[in-house]
Amino acid sequence: MDLRRPQVIDALHGDAATISTAANPRRSARTALDSCSEIDELLEELAGLAASDSPAEQVHEQLLVAAIREAGAFGGAIWRGRDRLVERLPVHDGGLNVSSSATIDRRTQVIDRVLVLGRSCAAPIEADAAQGRTRRLICVAAPYSIEQSVEGAVELLLPAIAQTAEQERAQHMAAAFAEVVGDFHRRGRLDQYRKRELQGRAALQFVERIHRAELQDAAVAIVNEGRWFIGCDRVSLLCGGSRGGKLLAVSGVDRIDPRACITRRIRELAAVVLWTNEPLWESGDPAIRAPQIEQPLQAYLEEAHARALVALPLQSRPVSAAAARDAAQPADNHANAIGVLVLEWFTMPALDALSRQAIELAARHAATALTVAQSMERLPLIRVNRALAKIGWLVQASQLPTTLWGMGIALSLVIALLIVPADFEIAAEGELQPAERREIYCPTDGVVDAVLVEHGDDVASGQTLLRLRSPALDFEKAHLEGETQTAQKRLAAIRAARFERSSDKDGASHRYRQLTAEEEELKQTLHSLHQQEQLLAAQRTELEIRAPLAGRVLTWDLARSLAARPVERGQSLLSVGDIAGRWQIELAVPDHQIGYVLAAKREQEDQPALRVSFLLIAESGVTYEGEVERIALRSRMDEHRAEPVVLVTVRFNEPIENPRPGAGVVGKIQCGRRSLGFVWLHDAWNSFRRRVLF
């Protein structure tokens, strides 16, 4: 509706000119034109105010203040039926009370008349004054309509001394403002209808998308589509009644960790909601709740950092006529609860009536979708039926030739896998090493005193490689030398005393025999000490580590790893290999595949050894041939692969240019011929047999 209708504008312009001439006959026509211009500006302002998105209370207040100011009234109100939406009245104005119950009844009678007649009017009313007297007022009211129905009125209160022209202008002004109020409410109702229409379309799309045959698919659709439909930040769905149920889906999350702390917290909150069977609304406003509800709620909010939360219990919905009749009977709502829908906002939301209606609508339809999905899950052989439904298109008439061709190709492949022979090879990784290689271990506890060789040095057999120093052996040597010197000195003293006794003929023979015995005892002691010195010398000889064979030092950076380092008995110090002699391959065959190698060896006892083809990782373009020399009798744990392996030694006669000890090798052990299917699928079959059939 155009608020600047010609009849309204002409009436207001005429009122302005009449009032200006009556008030001052000498006022020029230019003053009247200025008043008309002000009225046009006022109407423009009112039209903009009616088209704004401001709250209704604020718009009503501004319109009423402008109407009172422009009409020269001292008070007024905007009514909707018999209810006052907003009013501005002086409670006491010179002893005048316009808010008393009697005055309000008189004003209500005028408003009722305006609502019935559907046109503006002015009527005198009486208001209570001081000292029990009354005072006459002029009540001017104009109706406003919404959708061709009178809904309310704009009321202005004028003093009784107002002239007739001023009353008519007040009526026209009230009518103009009533048009603004009606237009504002019409716009608001149209916006409300538009929002409801959009919400209805969104609800229809939501309902169409959440109904799925499988429970997990339905849960994922509910949380993702519900987040878009409701307009929240996160939606979670829990299904089942045991300790809050199972967290089926969370919007925007592909994988849910059932052991996560936030998962436990939301299950505790869902358990409380299922127990109370009442919706839980948390928007930051202080509310008094039972500790059994408040504690899990605050624990989850601290973990999820949500500003607002709504948890709705989902009730089972009937999916058939019989179920609907049963649902009409009184039942235990706790038993009908099938899950909980949790909505979260990370910023404080404005939940109006439409938002709450959307939340309740989403909860009802989500409950229906879950009920249908759970009913489908409980059907017997549902998984088999779904699998058959997925492949049912293969037997359709249009797809039958293609299906037959595909089945023929698949059958041919299966026959080929069972019949066509192929070389069966066991692949393994290993190292290239000299056949003559010695690992040198520490013979005793000590400290490395000197490192006489380095990595890559050629050494001769018996050449000194390292010198050790043993503080314990040094102490033992000093101790033996001290005891030997003491025993020698005592032996010399006893011999001298014995000589004196032999020259003393008058001396007693008893002391002589005693000295002779002591001399023999010291001789035995010296002999024992001499043997200990020989044994100690042999041990000290072992402190010099010598090469057991002629070859080359293979250990890297000996000086840094061994110099001045304490070592223990049995510790590996370095290795020496004869790189000029024969070389061999050491393959580490996984323990779960060594059985094929042993079986092939037993089958070929009367034939040459198992052949092996290998290549050096550093020279991947050249393939060498060899044969299995020996297989270790026991498995060992491979530190790098973290699995047990069996060492297989491979000898070969082909020369390798510049062989390098420890070079990486990839080898394949020939284990006869098997079917093509066995060659390709034996690992998968062994895994299936070990993990499923065993």
Side-chain angles (χ1 to χ4, degrees), residues 102-173:
T103 304
I104 291 176
D105 291 340
R106 299 185 188 101
R107 292 167 55 196
T108 304
Q109 293 175 3
V110 177
I111 298 300
D112 291 340
R113 180 182 177 186
V114 170
L115 296 178
V116 172
L117 297 178
R119 59 182 176 82
S120 61
C121 66
I125 63 172
E126 294 182 352
D128 296 336
Q131 298 178 357
R133 295 179 299 179
T134 60
R135 182 178 174 181
R136 294 178 63 82
L137 298 174
I138 302 298
C139 178
V140 177
Y144 65 86
S145 60
I146 304 175
E147 296 180 354
Q148 299 180 356
S149 174
V150 178
E151 298 287 343
V154 176
E155 176 195 23
L156 297 176
L157 296 178
L158 303 176
I161 60 175
Q163 300 177 4
T164 304
E166 294 178 350
Q167 294 180 17
E168 293 179 357
R169 184 177 184 276
Q171 290 185 30
H172 294 155
M173 189 65 66

Side-chain angles (χ1 to χ4, degrees), residues 457-480:
D457 290 350
D458 292 329
V459 296
S461 178
Q463 179 180 343
T464 302
L465 306 178
L466 302 174
R467 286 197 181 95
L468 305 181
R469 176 172 52 84
S470 177
L473 294 181
D474 293 341
F475 174 77
E476 185 68 21
K477 179 182 178 182
H479 179 68
L480 289 177

Side-chain angles (χ1 to χ4, degrees), residues 143-373:
Y144 65 86
S145 60
I146 304 175
E147 296 180 354
Q148 299 180 356
S149 174
V150 178
E151 298 287 343
V154 176
E155 176 195 23
L156 297 176
L157 296 178
L158 303 176
I161 60 175
Q163 300 177 4
T164 304
E166 294 178 350
Q167 294 180 17
E168 293 179 357
R169 184 177 184 276
Q171 290 185 30
H172 294 155
M173 189 65 66
F177 278 88
E179 290 290 342
V180 175
V181 174
D183 185 69
F184 174 75
H185 283 285
R186 280 190 293 274
R187 288 178 179 271
R189 186 163 295 183
L190 287 175
D191 290 340
Q192 187 176 10
Y193 289 159
R194 188 180 300 108
K195 290 180 180 179
R196 288 183 178 178
E197 181 182 2
L198 294 176
Q199 185 181 26
R201 294 178 181 177
L204 182 60
Q205 294 180 4
F206 173 72
V207 173
E208 291 176 350
R209 294 174 180 175
I210 64 174
H211 284 276
R212 306 291 179 86
E214 297 186 15
L215 179 61
Q216 187 63 37
D217 294 344
V220 173
I222 287 171
V223 296
N224 291 315
E225 299 297 334
R227 177 176 175 270
W228 162 78
F229 174 63
I230 298 171
C232 59
D233 295 323
R234 184 166 61 193
V235 180
S236 304
L237 178 62
L238 297 95
C239 187
S242 175
R243 298 182 180 180
K246 178 184 178 182
L247 183 59
L248 290 182
V250 180
S251 60
V253 177
D254 295 333
R255 180 180 176 275
I256 299 174
D257 185 5
R259 293 183 295 273
C261 183
I262 190 171
T263 304
R264 296 197 301 269
R265 294 290 180 266
I266 196 172
R267 290 186 60 193
E268 294 172 358
L269 179 62
V272 173
V273 174
L274 289 174
W275 175 67
T276 60
N277 201 32
E278 293 291 337
L280 178 61
W281 298 76
E282 170 59 32
S283 59
D285 298 331
I288 300 177
R289 298 188 182 91
Q292 294 85 349
I293 302 176
E294 187 69 21
Q295 292 178 359
L297 174 61
Q298 295 302 325
Y300 177 71
L301 292 178
E302 292 178 359
E303 194 70 30
H305 307 290
R307 297 289 301 277
L309 180 143
V310 177
L312 303 170
L314 304 180
Q315 304 296 334
S316 176
R317 299 288 176 178
V319 295
S320 63
R325 289 193 299 269
D326 296 339
Q329 302 296 328
D332 185 7
N333 290 332
H334 292 274
N336 294 333
I338 59 174
V340 177
L341 189 67
V342 181
L343 316 176
E344 299 174 66
W345 290 264
F346 299 123
T347 57
M348 192 59 65
L351 297 178
D352 53 5
L354 287 177
S355 299
R356 292 178 178 269
Q357 184 179 359
I359 292 174
E360 295 174 357
L361 182 65
R364 289 198 303 271
H365 287 290
T368 303
L370 279 182
T371 303
V372 174

Side-chain angles (χ1 to χ4, degrees), residues 573-594:
L573 299 178
L574 73 162
S575 60
V576 178
D578 183 10
I579 63 173
R582 187 172 62 87
W583 289 74
Q584 65 183 14
I585 301 296
E586 294 180 356
L587 296 178
V589 180
D591 190 53
H592 65 275
Q593 292 184 338
I594 194 63

Side-chain angles (χ1 to χ4, degrees), residues 558-574:
L558 287 173
R560 188 178 64 177
S561 60
L562 292 179
R565 296 290 180 89
V567 292
E568 299 178 353
R569 182 182 178 88
Q571 178 181 345
S572 177
L573 299 178
L574 73 162

